[in-house]
Amino acid sequence: EAQVTQNPRYLITVTGKKLTVTCSQNMNHEYMSWYRQDPGLGLRQIYYSMNVEVTDKGDVPEGYKVSRKEKRNFPLILESPSPNQTSLYFCASSLGALNTEAFFGQGTRLTVV
Amino acid sequence: GNSVTQMEGPVTLSEEAFLTINCTYTATGYPSLFWYVQYPGEGLQLLLKATKADDKGSNKGFEATYRKETTSFHLEKGSVQVSDSAVYFCALSESAAGNKLTFGGGTRVLVKP
């Protein structure tokens, strides 16, 4: 089954404690991205990757890091989480060509206290 | 920059009612337009898309027409069901440098029996 898998689904952490949210896709997609979803703001892109070892900032990259060492994996790293990073996070992948469908993971609800 | 504006919810309807969700966009070029749907506890799924002016996207009884003259992509369904209760996102994609989606704020739809 074609899917994007994120882990964990739920996470509560304290300010400043480094964390990683994993994302894996099994569709051999080149393009992967991370979004955060906040009420009334829709989804905003954090970072994206067009292929292995190629990453770039989206609209709201501050406080986040990513890496793309393998085609299937695209982890999101919060080196020093803060309460304003409390949000619902989605990983997405697509073939990479313009206009193709993006496939989303089920989301990770992060609370930073 | 690009932006998408959609009507705020929640929209509450009775089963078999007609649904319209307005969406307008601002883009510098010629974007592709999408509607994504998010069911409770799940990630986003592509509902329909249109890639050029006057195209009509359709799926599961939903329709939307790409109107360049009014920069709109309104979603319609003639007879909603309880199972259509979800959050609907209008989005556009324009950048050839990466399949970035720019989302509207989302519209929650609740269909009552």
Side-chain angles (χ1 to χ4, degrees), chain A residues 9 31 35 37 40-43 45 48 50 59 88 90 94 96-102 104-106, chain B residues 32 34 36 38 41-44 46 49 51 89 93-101 103-106:
Chain A
R9 291 289 309 277
Y31 186 86
Y35 293 87
Q37 181 181 6
L41 297 178
L43 281 77
Q45 192 182 58
Y48 66 93
M50 296 181 71
D59 294 323
L88 179 59
F90 288 99
S94 64
L98 195 62
N99 306 330
T100 58
E101 177 181 358
F104 285 80
Q106 288 192 292
Chain B
S32 293
F34 305 84
Y36 279 82
Q38 183 180 30
E42 298 184 11
L44 282 73
L46 180 66
K49 71 177 185 182
T51 58
F89 291 93
S93 175
E94 183 182 33
S95 172
N99 198 10
K100 174 184 172 180
L101 288 162
F103 287 90

Side-chain angles (χ1 to χ4, degrees), chain B:
Chain B
N2 298 338
S3 66
V4 176
T5 302
Q6 58 182 108
M7 57 191 293
E8 292 189 23
V11 174
T12 304
L13 302 164
S14 296
E15 216 166 13
E16 299 183 3
F18 186 87
L19 170 68
T20 299
I21 304 176
N22 290 338
C23 171
T24 57
Y25 67 89
T26 301
T28 52
Y30 302 96
S32 293
L33 302 174
F34 305 84
W35 278 100
Y36 279 82
V37 59
Q38 183 180 30
Y39 298 105
E42 298 184 11
L44 282 73
Q45 306 171 21
L46 180 66
L47 181 59
L48 53 84
K49 71 177 185 182
T51 58
K52 62 182 187 298
D54 299 324
D55 268 2
K56 177 186 282 188
S58 61
N59 186 25
K60 299 181 181 180
F62 290 90
E63 292 183 341
T65 301
Y66 189 141
R67 301 284 189 202
K68 187 169 182 289
E69 63 277 13
T70 55
T71 62
S72 64
F73 193 54
H74 305 321
L75 182 69
E76 297 181 337
K77 186 174 184 181
S79 177
V80 294
Q81 305 299 314
V82 172
S83 57
D84 293 324
S85 298
V87 181
Y88 294 83
F89 291 93
C90 185
L92 69 82
S93 175
E94 183 182 33
S95 172
N99 198 10
K100 174 184 172 180
L101 288 162
T102 299
F103 287 90
T107 301
R108 182 176 300 278
V109 172
L110 177 61
V111 181
K112 296 185 174 181

Side-chain angles (χ1 to χ4, degrees), chain A residues 38-113:
Chain A
D38 300 291
L41 297 178
L43 281 77
R44 294 176 292 168
Q45 192 182 58
I46 301 170
Y47 268 94
Y48 66 93
S49 169
M50 296 181 71
N51 216 323
V52 175
E53 302 292 1
V54 181
T55 64
D56 208 347
K57 296 177 180 179
D59 294 323
V60 288
E62 292 77 20
Y64 305 94
K65 286 175 56 177
V66 293
S67 68
R68 187 92 181 271
K69 294 184 171 54
E70 305 164 281
K71 197 171 187 179
R72 63 183 292 123
N73 295 325
F74 190 45
L76 179 69
I77 303 155
L78 285 71
E79 295 269 2
S80 182
S82 62
N84 64 10
Q85 293 178 297
T86 293
S87 187
L88 179 59
Y89 291 87
F90 288 99
C91 180
S93 74
S94 64
L95 277 173
L98 195 62
N99 306 330
T100 58
E101 177 181 358
F103 292 81
F104 285 80
Q106 288 192 292
T108 296
R109 185 166 292 282
L110 172 66
T111 302
V112 184
V113 297

